[in-house]
Amino acid sequence: MNQKDHRAQPLLNLMQELLDDASLALGQYRSLITTALVQLSRNSGLYPERYGDVYEGNLGGRIVAVKMMRGCGYGRDPAMLMKAFSKEAVLWAQLSSPYVLQFYGIYAIANPSPRLGLVSPWMKNGNLTEYLNESPRMDRLSLMTDIAFGLDYLHSFDPPVIHGDLKGPNILITDEHRACVADFGLCLLVQNSALQITMTSSSNAQGSLFWMAPELFNDNEDCARKNFATDVYAFGCVCYEIFNGKPPFFDLRPCQARISIKESRPLPRPVHPDLDDTIWTLILQCLHGDPGTRPSMDEVRQQLSLRHNR
């Protein structure tokens, strides 16, 4: 229960896989494993990786990425798995924007146990977090603008789409060194609206601590539901990450970070020559503790477009 970071993640994954394996008769151990899983997740600030093995593949001569799902159907009939994810795949296939990762299709494996893979373009430059570490001289304003265009595209889609887990690892860098929003592994209809769709990350359906809006820590279920404003907050965290190298409060322990986020404590301004007063003010607006005060992604996109002369 005291494990953190790289020591906690494999334990969380193992416990989740045990709970997901329909072929195991866990009996009384199911409740014990569930309790341990919840406690370790709370202590570490991490969540089980539902699926996340990314393989390099070949599709008609093109190099592609195949992201295999974990823990979501072991022991089930492949046809049932395909049916369960068909509507998610169909929705993703409708999205068409240079700022959103393209979806090629589903790859199914029957043996030794049924698994599904999501096929998309291979991004040799990796994700935003990796790119920030390896390419310190990149155009940060351009990356911010790309991400704003991608998120605004989702919010403007018919029906509107809420990403639900925007963060550095879920933003990929193209061969042209542009950013595109990614990780649409699971898609879920929001309960109170047939016109609003939440696409949550394949690696963490409940969100990621350091990119979560303060209201998501509210005990009130209605307040803790992801929406456009929580996406905007996550965008602000990503922008902070672009200039700081790490998201807000990343240097704190998970329990301390959770309190700091919930209380909307002030953040130190990153020291970077590309971060001027206008951009810093926009980031702070996105990170505002009051969801109603945050700008819409359309407003953010327009401001960044003017700065970037698009």
Side-chain angles (χ1 to χ4, degrees), residues 40-73:
L40 179 58
S41 178
R42 181 181 296 120
N43 292 349
S44 66
L46 301 172
Y47 302 86
E49 294 175 325
R50 299 297 295 184
Y51 50 89
D53 296 325
V54 179
Y55 299 92
E56 182 177 336
N58 187 291
L59 178 65
R62 291 176 295 179
I63 299 176
V64 297
V66 184
K67 189 166 189 176
M68 302 304 300
M69 301 179 185
R70 288 183 190 165
C72 53

Side-chain angles (χ1 to χ4, degrees), residues 18-31 33:
L18 290 172
L19 293 173
D20 286 338
D21 195 335
S23 66
L24 295 179
L26 296 177
Q28 62 179 347
Y29 295 107
R30 179 170 294 278
S31 63
I33 295 172

Side-chain angles (χ1 to χ4, degrees), residues 132-153:
L132 290 172
N133 293 328
E134 298 173 3
S135 306
R137 295 186 177 181
M138 88 288 290
D139 185 344
R140 285 169 167 77
L141 181 58
S142 176
L143 293 176
M144 283 180 60
T145 308
D146 290 344
I147 300 165
F149 267 74
L151 201 53
D152 181 51
Y153 172 81

Side-chain angles (χ1 to χ4, degrees), residues 1 63 111 138-139 153 166-168 199-200 215 254 268 281 305:
M1 293 301 100
I63 299 176
N111 295 309
M138 88 288 290
D139 185 344
Y153 172 81
L166 189 75
K167 57 184 179 181
M199 306 182 80
T200 58
E215 60 269 24
T281 298
S305 295

Side-chain angles (χ1 to χ4, degrees), residues 133-255:
N133 293 328
E134 298 173 3
S135 306
R137 295 186 177 181
M138 88 288 290
D139 185 344
R140 285 169 167 77
L141 181 58
S142 176
L143 293 176
M144 283 180 60
T145 308
D146 290 344
I147 300 165
F149 267 74
L151 201 53
D152 181 51
Y153 172 81
L154 295 179
H155 288 190
S156 307
F157 194 73
D158 185 14
V161 174
I162 299 167
H163 187 284
D165 194 22
L166 189 75
K167 57 184 179 181
N170 289 349
I171 298 166
L172 301 182
I173 306 301
T174 69
D175 291 351
E176 294 74 29
H177 302 278
R178 310 305 295 268
C180 67
V181 178
D183 223 332
F184 302 118
L186 296 176
C187 172
L188 177 67
L189 285 175
V190 175
Q191 295 298 320
N192 65 347
S193 173
L195 293 179
Q196 212 171 61
I197 297 175
T198 302
M199 306 182 80
T200 58
S201 166
S202 59
S203 62
N204 175 9
Q206 299 186 44
S208 301
L209 173 63
F210 299 102
W211 294 265
M212 291 175 67
E215 60 269 24
L216 293 177
F217 297 101
N218 197 309
D219 293 332
N220 185 318
E221 184 176 348
D222 291 334
C223 295
R225 184 172 295 150
K226 293 176 181 178
N227 51 47
F228 295 130
T230 60
D231 266 2
V232 172
Y233 184 92
F235 173 79
C237 293
V238 169
C239 293
Y240 191 90
E241 185 179 3
I242 287 175
F243 290 103
N244 187 58
K246 300 292 183 181
F249 307 114
F250 194 82
D251 56 331
L252 302 179
R253 298 185 63 176
C255 57

